[in-house]
């Protein structure tokens, strides 16, 4: 596939996201109830947010997820 062709494919994938929504697959299932997702088409990463809808996974949100996971396991050990 030429570079130009692959660019067109990339653009189509992104278009399908804006029209049809992202095709999210769970990539990380946290015990504390938040999941991380990856879009099959645009490869963007998402996580559950307070609003209940998946939002973009920022490095900050990723750190929070990991921290919550640690707290969860600490609680489990103590109980
Ligand atoms: Zn997408």
């Amino acid at each position: 596939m030429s570079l130009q062709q692959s660019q067109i494919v990339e653009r189509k994938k992104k278009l399908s996201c804006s029209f049809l929504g992202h095709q999210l697959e769970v990539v990380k299932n946290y015990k504390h109830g938040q999941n991380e997702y990856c879009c099959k088409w645009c490869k963007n990463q998402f996580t559950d947010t307070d609003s209940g809808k998946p939002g973009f996974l920022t490095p900050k949100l990723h750190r929070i997820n990991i921290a919550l996971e640690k707290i969860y396991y600490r609680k489990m050990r103590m109980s």
Side-chain angles (χ1 to χ4, degrees):
M1 204 192 289
S2 74
L3 186 64
Q4 209 177 1
Q5 272 177 319
S6 66
Q7 277 174 342
I8 290 168
V9 170
E10 283 306 305
R11 209 169 294 159
K12 272 187 186 165
K13 282 180 185 172
K14 280 180 187 148
L15 267 180
S16 73
C17 284
S18 53
F19 280 118
L20 308 167
H22 300 284
Q23 287 284 308
L24 299 183
E25 288 180 325
V26 176
V27 286
K28 183 105 176 74
N29 192 271
Y30 288 106
K31 290 283 182 282
H32 54 80
Q34 297 220 156
N35 295 328
E36 285 178 11
Y37 309 92
C38 184
C39 175
K40 266 207 283 194
W41 307 119
C42 63
K43 301 294 173 198
N44 279 317
Q45 288 188 302
F46 300 85
T47 188
D48 291 313
T49 62
D50 293 337
S51 68
K53 284 183 191 167
F56 278 108
L57 179 67
T58 61
K60 189 184 166 191
L61 287 173
H62 184 62
R63 280 199 300 275
I64 291 170
N65 280 344
I66 289 169
L68 287 173
E69 182 88 336
K70 279 183 190 157
I71 293 165
Y72 177 87
Y73 279 114
R74 206 169 296 158
K75 273 188 196 160
M76 290 287 286
R77 273 204 301 273
M78 284 203 275
S79 61

